[in-house]
Structure formats: structure tokens, C-alpha cells
Amino acid sequence: MPVATLLPFTATPSRKSASPTSFRLTEKFILLLVFSAFITLCFGAIFFLPDSSKLLSGVFFHSSSVETDTRTGTDSDSSIAVGKDEKILAKIRKDHERALVEAKDTLQKRADEIQQDIRNEKEKVAREGFGKGGKDDSLPVIDYLRPPGATGHEPSDPETREKRAKIKEMMKFAWESYKRYAWGSNELRPVSKQGHSSNLFGSIQGATIVDALDTLYIMEMYDEFDAATEWVEKNLDFNVNAEVSVFEVNIRFVGGLLSAYYLSGKEVFRRKAVELGEKLLPAFKTPTGIPWALLNLKSGIGRNWPWASGGSSILAEYGTLHLEFMHLSKLSGKPVFAEKVMNIRKVLNRLDKPQGLYPNYLNPNSGQWGQHHVSVGGLGDSFYEYLLKAWLMSDKTDEEGKKLYYEALQAIETSLIRKSSGGLTYIAEWKGGLLEHKMGHLTCFAGGMFALGADGAPDDKTGHQMELAAEIARTCHESYARTNLKLGPEAFRFDGGVEAIATRQNEKYFILRPEVIETYMYMWRFTHDPKYRQWGWEAMQALEQHCKVEGGYSGVRDVYASHPSHDDVQQSFFLAETLKYLYLLFSEDDHLPFEHWVFNTEAHPLPIIRKDNTDKPSPLE
Ligand code: DMJ
């Protein structure tokens, strides 16, 4: 492993100002050397170039003598000024000597002494506080170690490089537009050029800022990242008397903050993530510990969506907390977060599953299933994703997560996966024992999930899982290809004589969702089949052509229309997910490599928690 990966607070080489909280010793050392060289030059200029010394005394020293002369014009003041210059020179000489001694000291230090210095510095920061809010006693001092691959390098192939740069431009435009017209609001209305807030976040502000942080970082948009960080430090406030969606706040805000922390090492993100996690804990106060969908952050009172099967909680919502909560425990030293999500597993394990399937609705009071609807799309999707990723993120130690995932997958294959007469594989929905031959755009993430899980599949099913993944990717591509705008509908059907086409007006919209591009990205990483980049590029061109408006990117109401009618929302997940997955599709594999990172369901990368503790810093060699 390169030494750089072992260094706590190791800065990305090209990083400008979004560095971790304090300068690292290596950086200090380099600065000292530069400073020493600079001073030496100045001394040379002063002592060996007599003609320029006068000039220097007026310019380099920002001459107090010049100013004094102007004010008084007396000789005695001039002599005072000369005396001052000598003092300044003496001080500089002293500083110079001290810098050299310090540099020498650093060179002579052993690796363990350097590590100790780093620890002392970190403890000092924790003791003396950081940013707004100052010291936080409730968080343990931890060593930060940036996991490998936080930023990538330019693709070697010029065409890919160009495409990747184009995607970065899209991010710039989406971000700048949000900044210009909606800064601080949750989302942007790109047509009417104003802020937009859905009720998912109550009165928490800045969803786009928090959701975009890691995309800004990995695209090396560091000035923008710094501006976003400053906004978080000064304005991100969870002390609101408002009801929020626990799921949405978790995947976008907690997930976004955690990733920003792991990428940048900035303490403010850890602190905010844990603070928000704690605010979400009252959601678990139900007889079973299955959390409410909605929570008032001030009162701690929770409830469920009124439309959800007799007051049920939703599988994809309570089942999509695991990754973030495991990291909250790791970063806070508080086991309560992990306990809450492990309890969800326990409740589910006790229940009978119809044909091995997990219904979308579960009553948090009785602990019984609500309506027997099953879906790998909306209401169910990321529950399955998190079983697999819980196992991967635990460095493959969470055997229970693995078992639950592959068992669920078996049931899905048996009961939900079908092939159309035209040869398209799709994942149907299940309603009380009857199949609905419809697949949502949301369900298209499953191609990526199957590919990601193929490697660990039991009974030599790896090849089969990869085939399935490729078939889902193809079907989802067809759902795009069969529209006028070459963007996918919200849901498409395989009945009534159609295949991969939306037949209902209320299923024809496209809201900048990422799932299809997400699957292309996984398929590219695992197969390197150029068609996935080709498909991603097609989607990118359609986005540019039909979704780009003067004030940002907008969803469209009907992908079968000849001209787009814009819905006037730039969803925060467009910046968090769609553009990030597109960018990674055209990046090298060592950028956020799967051996080190797992993406939460909002595409926020979280590092694998190493069983052998190698994610903890070790002494330098
Ligand atoms: C995102 O918020 C997440 O991907 C979530 O899991 C499902 N839907 C949206 C994007 O479509």
C-alpha cells in the first residue's frame, strides 16, 4: 500500500483549499522549506544586491519608513524607520533559523513520533473546537484515514477524457444554476428560476448542497466544495419544528454528510451527520422498533404515511437505514445506531414471508405485514440493495445480510422475474398473489445490484447473476430507446401488446432519475463492454437536448411527446446520483473502487469497514 494511503489527513495532490481541518505535517514541512528558500532569496537580494536594497526596504517591507516619511518628513523619523527595518530583519532572520531547526527536527523524527504529533494535533482540534458550534464533547477523537480512490485520474483514452469533461460541465451548470437561483433552498426550479422545497425535508434546508457535496469533491470542483462546506458550517440546521421523511433525510442528508466526511476528513461533516442521526432516533420508538416513516424533529413524534396500508411502515424506507447507521455508530462510538437497525433485521426474521418474498408494508405496532404487495421498484427496492451492501460494507463479515440477500433474490427470480415474448427480461410486481407486468424506472437499479452481488452468489450462480444483470440493463435501455425523447418513462409495461413502453399517462414522465445509468456504470465496471458507455452517452445527450433549460436541468412530463414539456424541478438526486454515475461510467475503475467503497442508495460512497482494522491508521514505515 502506498505510504500516502496510510497518512491521516492525506491531501489529494491537486487539492487547493478543501483540505482537512488542519495542515498535515508533510505539508507543513514542504511549506517550511518553501518559506526557507524564499527568505534565503530575500537575504540574498538585500545583502548582495545593494542597488535594490532601497527599493526592497520600500516595497518588500511595505515600508513603514515610506509611510512615516510621508506623514512627517523629518530626519529623526527616518532614523526611527531604519531602526524598525533592522528589527524586522532580525525577526525574519530568527524566524528563518527557527524554521530550519523545525524542518531538521521533523526530518529526524521516527515514524511513531510523527504519528504521535498527528494525534496530538487532532486532539488539540477536538479540545479547542472547530467551526461554528465549537467543541463537541460527545464525539470521540478518531484518526481520520482517507480510503483509497477518493479522487481519480484522467482517463488515458482521449475520447473518454473528453466525455468525462463534458459531464463535469453538466455538473457545473447544474450547480451554478442552483447557486444563482436557489442557494440554500432544497432544490431548484430551473424554468421559473427559483427555489423549490418538497415536504420530504420539512423545513430542513439545503438538500441539493448536501446531496451534491461528494459529487463536487470527486469531480475535483474544490472551490464549489468549499462554498458548500461553508454553507453547511453556517446554515445547516436540524433544530426545526417540522416533520420529515426519515428515509429521505437519512439517504440524502446523513448519507451525504458521511460521504463528505470520508472524502474530505472535515470534522464538521462527522459532527453534523451524528447530530442528525441522533435527531432521527425517536422514529424508532414504536412497539416493535420498526421506525415511523415521518418524524417531527422537534417533538420526536412519529407517524406513518396516511396512504400506507393501515398505518404501515414501508420496506424500502425502514430497510434503507442500515449502511448509514452502521457508520454513525463507528463515527460516534455509540452503539445505539447499529442496535436500531439490527433490531429491524430481528423483527423481519421472525416473520413468515409469502413465497419467500417481503411485502412492502409492515405495521410497526403489531409487527405484522400489511397488504401483500411486493416490488423490487418503489416501496421495496433499496431494502434488497442494503442487504447485499450491508454484507459488502462489513468486509463480508455480515453473513446474515448475505444470506438474507441471496434468499430474497432466489424468491424474486422464482416469483417476479419474467421474459416477454419479445425476449426482454423484466421484474414484475406482485399484488396479493397476482403479477402486474409492469417495471418501474426505479426497478432498473436492480441490474447494477445483480452485477454487484454476482461474485458472492452461492452454487456457482455468478455467471447466471451476471446474465440476469445484463438482461435487465438491456430491458431498461429499451425503455429509453422506445421513446421519442430517448429518456425512460417512470414505469413501463409488458402487457396489452406492448413491451417496455408506458401505456398510462401518469407513468410517462421522467424526473432525471439515475437508476438506468447506475446500472450501466456497474455493468461497465464488471464487463468493460463498450455498449454500456455508449448507452450512457446516449442518455447524456438526451439529457442535454431535452432537460437542459436556461436555469438548470428539468424533468419532463412525457417522454413520448415530440417536444419536452418541463416539470420545472432539478431534483437533488440529479447532482448526487445521475451525474455522479455518469461521471464514474467514464472514469477509470480505481476511482471509488468497489474494493474500498459501497454506494448508499443515493450514490453517496461509504468506505468498507475493515474486519482487520486496516481502515485505521498504522505507524508509518
Ligand atoms: C433516490 O433518492 C434514491 O436512489 C432512492 O433509493 C430511490 N429514488 C431516488 C432516485 O430516483
Side-chain angles (χ1 to χ4, degrees):
M1 199 184 306
V3 170
T5 62
L6 296 170
L7 271 174
F9 293 106
T10 303
T12 311
S14 57
R15 188 84 182 79
K16 277 192 290 177
S17 52
S19 57
T21 43
S22 54
F23 283 117
R24 297 145 198 83
L25 285 179
T26 44
E27 286 176 344
K28 256 188 184 170
F29 179 54
I30 290 164
L31 276 177
L32 286 174
L33 284 180
V34 171
F35 182 61
S36 304
F38 182 56
I39 297 296
T40 309
L41 260 180
C42 294
F43 269 83
I46 292 161
F47 294 117
F48 301 117
L49 300 171
D51 286 345
S52 61
S53 59
K54 274 193 191 123
L55 178 76
L56 284 169
S57 73
V59 178
F60 176 69
F61 297 131
H62 183 53
S63 180
S64 50
S65 61
V66 172
E67 284 172 10
T68 312
D69 285 345
T70 315
R71 273 199 311 271
T72 65
T74 64
D75 283 342
S76 63
D77 283 344
S78 286
S79 64
I80 292 168
V82 171
K84 271 188 183 170
D85 282 350
E86 272 167 11
K87 270 189 195 157
I88 291 168
L89 276 173
K91 186 176 179 307
I92 288 173
R93 198 175 296 121
K94 223 173 137 197
D95 285 347
H96 181 219
E97 278 161 12
R98 206 189 48 234
L100 283 175
V101 170
E102 269 184 37
K104 215 168 123 208
D105 270 348
T106 309
L107 271 177
Q108 286 171 348
K109 274 190 179 163
R110 290 194 318 268
D112 56 338
E113 289 173 329
I114 294 177
Q115 278 294 333
Q116 189 52 48
D117 281 352
I118 291 167
R119 254 173 244 129
N120 292 345
E121 202 178 323
K122 189 92 175 63
E123 275 162 22
K124 190 167 163 248
V125 170
R127 257 197 326 274
E128 294 171 4
F130 32 72
K132 189 189 166 199
K135 176 180 167 186
D136 185 342
D137 288 331
S138 67
L139 285 185
V141 173
I142 55 170
D143 287 321
Y144 167 76
L145 179 69
R146 179 177 293 112
T151 50
H153 48 88
E154 290 277 306
S156 44
D157 160 48
E159 192 190 322
T160 310
R161 212 162 42 232
E162 211 176 288
K163 288 182 171 166
R164 186 174 176 260
K166 174 72 202 157
I167 294 154
K168 183 168 170 178
E169 272 173 36
M170 292 172 76
M171 179 67 185
K172 277 195 177 145
F173 182 65
W175 176 257
E176 284 306 323
S177 304
Y178 167 77
K179 201 169 163 198
R180 182 168 311 131
Y181 303 118
W183 186 242
S185 299
N186 281 320
E187 289 171 322
L188 162 69
R189 285 198 177 280
V191 177
S192 50
K193 299 179 183 166
Q194 55 182 324
H196 164 68
S197 270
S198 79
N199 56 5
L200 297 173
F201 315 113
S203 46
I204 300 180
Q205 294 287 293
T208 294
I209 298 177
V210 179
D211 234 4
L213 276 165
D214 52 12
T215 309
L216 295 172
Y217 194 95
I218 69 160
M219 291 189 183
E220 297 175 50
M221 294 170 63
Y222 297 126
D223 291 339
E224 292 85 347
F225 181 83
D226 286 342
T229 304
E230 196 186 329
W231 187 91
V232 168
E233 274 166 349
K234 293 190 177 148
N235 302 294
L236 185 60
D237 184 11
F238 307 127
N239 296 311
V240 293
N241 182 3
E243 197 174 55
V244 302
S245 156
V246 173
F247 160 77
E248 294 288 355
V249 164
N250 176 59
I251 65 169
R252 301 194 204 204
F253 282 88
V254 178
L257 291 165
L258 287 172
S259 287
Y261 170 70
Y262 283 114
L263 290 169
S264 72
K266 285 181 178 273
E267 278 292 320
V268 61
F269 298 126
R270 176 166 78 117
R271 191 162 43 86
K272 289 277 182 192
V274 174
E275 182 193 337
L276 180 54
E278 282 174 346
K279 291 246 167 217
L280 295 179
L281 286 176
F284 293 82
K285 280 191 203 150
T286 63
T288 55
I290 294 292
W292 300 112
L294 299 164
L295 178 74
N296 182 301
L297 289 186
K298 186 171 164 69
S299 67
I301 293 173
R303 68 180 175 113
N304 275 338
W305 299 104
W307 48 263
S309 182
S312 289
S313 300
I314 288 165
L315 183 67
E317 297 199 328
Y318 65 77
T320 311
L321 302 166
H322 195 99
L323 304 185
E324 297 81 0
F325 275 50
M326 296 307 277
H327 270 287
L328 286 177
S329 276
K330 179 179 152 75
L331 293 184
S332 67
K334 296 176 185 171
V336 61
F337 300 104
E339 283 161 11
K340 296 293 179 200
V341 289
M342 290 313 289
N343 175 61
I344 295 175
R345 284 247 187 106
K346 266 194 213 149
V347 175
L348 289 177
N349 283 344
R350 281 201 294 266
L351 284 165
D352 282 337
K353 283 107 205 151
Q355 298 183 30
L357 297 167
Y358 288 80
N360 292 336
Y361 300 108
L362 176 62
N363 191 306
N365 292 317
S366 65
Q368 297 303 312
W369 298 121
Q371 282 169 345
H372 280 197
H373 289 182
V374 178
S375 165
V376 183
L379 308 183
D381 47 9
S382 39
F383 161 72
Y384 304 100
E385 177 186 353
Y386 271 36
L387 290 179
L388 171 64
K389 291 181 176 176
W391 174 57
L392 296 174
M393 199 183 80
S394 70
D395 207 4
K396 302 191 176 171
T397 58
D398 181 357
E399 288 294 331
E400 183 182 54
K402 177 185 185 185
K403 179 171 167 287
L404 294 174
Y405 171 71
Y406 289 107
E407 280 173 3
L409 194 55
Q410 185 54 54
I412 288 167
E413 267 205 75
T414 310
S415 301
L416 304 182
I417 297 189
R418 296 289 179 267
K419 196 171 256 197
S420 71
S421 49
L424 293 179
T425 300
Y426 61 96
I427 310 178
E429 309 218 336
W430 195 75
K431 291 196 172 161
L434 292 177
L435 274 194
E436 192 179 12
H437 298 272
K438 151 186 144 174
M439 184 163 166
H441 192 290
L442 288 166
T443 322
C444 286
F445 89 99
M449 178 176 75
F450 295 160
L452 184 64
D455 201 25
D459 306 322
D460 294 333
K461 277 196 161 180
T462 301
H464 170 69
Q465 291 299 317
M466 278 310 293
E467 271 167 39
L468 203 55
E471 286 174 24
I472 295 298
R474 182 163 83 95
T475 300
C476 292
H477 175 252
E478 282 304 311
S479 78
Y480 276 50
R482 295 175 187 199
T483 70
N484 273 339
L485 303 185
K486 305 298 170 209
L487 294 164
E490 180 66 5
F492 42 94
R493 294 185 177 257
F494 297 85
D495 55 16
V498 302
E499 298 202 354
I501 288 178
T503 49
R504 305 187 183 181
Q505 197 52 40
N506 65 359
E507 293 173 346
K508 293 182 178 173
Y509 63 87
F510 170 74
I511 56 167
L512 307 172
R513 285 197 193 278
E515 292 76 16
V516 176
I517 293 167
E518 174 181 353
T519 279
Y520 296 161
M521 192 278 290
Y522 280 100
M523 292 308 294
W524 164 257
R525 284 266 178 114
F526 286 112
T527 67
H528 285 175
D529 183 335
K531 79 174 172 228
Y532 296 114
R533 278 190 166 166
Q534 176 54 35
W535 290 353
W537 193 245
E538 285 167 15
M540 175 274 171
Q541 285 173 313
L543 286 166
E544 276 299 271
Q545 201 182 338
H546 303 301
C547 299
K548 190 173 184 180
V549 293
E550 217 180 86
Y553 290 90
S554 165
V556 296
R557 293 201 175 89
D558 183 351
V559 289
Y560 301 94
S562 44
H563 296 291
S565 159
H566 295 113
D567 69 7
D568 199 12
V569 181
Q570 178 176 283
Q571 304 278 347
S572 76
F573 54 67
F574 181 64
L575 292 88
E577 295 191 77
T578 313
L579 292 176
K580 186 187 288 137
Y581 284 135
L582 258 180
Y583 188 76
L584 291 175
L585 176 61
F586 292 94
S587 295
E588 303 284 305
D589 294 355
D590 59 1
H591 196 179
L592 297 175
F594 296 160
E595 307 86 68
H596 294 287
W597 299 87
V598 165
F599 292 89
N600 92 337
T601 195
E602 188 80 359
H604 295 307
L606 300 171
I608 287 173
I609 300 174
R610 293 293 171 200
K611 59 179 169 223
D612 59 3
N613 274 346
T614 47
D615 50 350
K616 305 243 165 34
S618 53
L620 294 171
E621 280 150 22

